[in-house]
Amino acid sequence: MSTDHGVSDGVSGVRMEPVGEDVAGASAGAGDAGGLVATTGSGASTAARLQALFEGHRLTPTQRRIAHCMVRRAADAPFLSSVELAELAGVSQPSVTRFAVALGFDGYPALRKHLRDVAPAEPEADEGSYNEYQQAVQSEIDNLRHLAALLADPAPVVRAGRLLADSRPLLVLGLRAASAQARGFTYFARKVHPDVRLLDEGGTMLADRVDAAKRAGATALLCFALPRHSREVVEGLEYAQEAGLTVVAVADSAFAPIARHSDLLLPAAVGTGLAFDTACAPMLLGRVLLEAMCDALPDAQARLEEFDAKASERGLFVE
């Protein structure tokens, strides 16, 4: 617009991806659906290079698990043996070999050689002098850089903004660790959207509220999904899709468990350097979606001006 604890393995997503209908073997690539791969030049991160390698290959759930692990351990990936990678990913060693073959290599040694060959020529910044708090901040800075690279192609966000603007009412789902993002989005969205409904509780009540919104004319649901991913969120999105809603999701990774129940997945990595996950990138992506939604709402500016006028009359703010 012009005017719980996260014991997670969050991954720096490098793609905004409309999710295809084939769920069980969901592709790691977005095909011709408008997906975006972050730059893979000399300035790209190791994680971005790895994600680009997986782009365009249809991977099984086990293979996606391996890919997820490699992106999470991007700095170590070129030096891990197949046995070490299997242990880290929680899969069998033969699964790692099959994964390498699925990517077009003769075997895992060939894949590892490729990873070493394409490793950044310049060493990454030495973080040895940082304390644990500074390292956590640096990690979030990296996550924001990855998000900025994704937004070089605004098409997926623009599409999401239109879907959200056109849904009356609009549902916003966020449970447990993601509740803060959902509440923040809802707070601001209500200033410009005529009917925004927050879904912050799971169970049978979630299904009831989805049904009620669908009867009222809802066409889309925005979900914020962060580690640890609860079964309630997965089941809730499955129910929403069965009800005919289009699901737009902000998740920590393109490999997140909710991917199979998302029509448009927008990844934004979380930081995992502290006892509890940090989610600066998902929060910022939520604000970007707000901007895109405002751009798609013809009366958004008028609604904001009306709110400001009433706030001034009521002395709502002290400044």
Side-chain angles (χ1 to χ4, degrees):
M1 183 176 172
S2 54
T3 42
D4 3 43
H5 182 258
V7 181
S8 75
D9 47 5
V11 174
S12 299
V14 294
R15 181 161 44 99
M16 291 189 178
E17 143 182 350
V19 178
E21 295 179 356
D22 184 355
V23 182
S27 171
D32 59 355
L36 171 68
V37 180
T39 59
T40 56
S42 59
S45 71
T46 304
R49 291 171 182 270
L50 280 170
Q51 187 79 51
L53 175 63
F54 306 144
E55 187 75 13
H57 296 280
R58 297 190 65 81
L59 303 177
T60 68
T62 296
Q63 290 167 350
R64 292 202 308 273
R65 186 171 182 173
I66 298 170
H68 190 148
C69 179
M70 292 183 72
V71 174
R72 176 165 50 92
R73 300 291 296 268
D76 301 327
F79 310 101
L80 295 173
S81 69
S82 60
V83 173
E84 290 171 330
L85 179 56
E87 291 179 351
L88 288 171
V91 302
S92 67
Q93 190 276 335
S95 294
V96 173
T97 300
R98 288 192 292 270
F99 169 71
V101 173
L103 295 179
F105 297 94
D106 292 336
Y108 182 73
L111 170 58
R112 186 169 62 175
K113 181 180 183 302
H114 173 77
L115 296 180
R116 291 176 176 178
D117 289 344
V118 300
E122 296 295 329
E124 297 184 0
D126 180 16
E127 297 183 357
S129 59
Y130 293 150
N131 62 42
E132 61 179 312
Y133 310 124
Q134 290 176 304
Q135 290 175 2
V137 172
Q138 289 298 323
S139 176
E140 284 295 68
I141 291 172
D142 288 341
N143 289 341
L144 291 173
R145 287 196 180 106
H146 295 158
L147 179 59
L150 284 173
L151 295 174
D153 177 8
V157 168
V158 170
R159 179 189 168 200
R162 290 172 180 164
L163 288 170
L164 304 182
D166 291 342
S167 185
R168 311 291 174 87
L170 168 63
L171 292 175
V172 182
L173 171 63
L175 303 182
R176 295 183 180 270
S179 62
Q181 281 68 35
R183 285 181 175 275
F185 182 94
T186 300
Y187 171 79
F188 291 111
R190 283 173 174 165
K191 297 182 184 299
V192 293
H193 192 290
D195 191 353
V196 184
R197 304 185 185 184
L198 175 65
L199 303 178
D200 57 356
E201 58 182 333
T204 57
M205 287 296 296
L206 176 57
D208 290 347
R209 294 170 73 182
V210 168
D211 287 340
K214 179 62 179 177
R215 287 193 298 269
T219 57
L221 178 151
L222 171 63
C223 174
F224 289 88
L226 301 177
R228 303 167 71 178
H229 296 278
S230 70
R231 183 171 59 250
E232 287 179 308
V233 172
V234 175
E235 293 173 348
L237 293 185
E238 181 179 13
Y239 187 86
Q241 283 191 320
E242 290 174 352
L245 297 179
T246 298
V247 173
V248 176
V250 172
D252 59 301
S253 166
F255 301 102
I258 55 94
R260 67 179 65 188
H261 299 303
S262 304
D263 297 290
L264 180 57
L265 177 66
L266 310 176
V270 300
T272 59
L274 301 176
F276 296 94
D277 285 349
T278 51
C280 294
M283 182 187 70
L284 181 55
L285 182 52
R287 297 298 188 269
V288 170
L289 283 173
L290 275 169
E291 188 80 3
M293 187 181 74
C294 287
D295 289 340
L297 289 168
D299 56 349
Q301 186 61 41
R303 286 178 178 272
L304 284 176
E305 292 175 357
E306 179 183 2
F307 172 81
D308 285 341
K310 290 183 177 180
S312 179
E313 291 174 6
R314 295 164 56 194
L316 192 58
F317 303 109
V318 296
E319 66 272 13

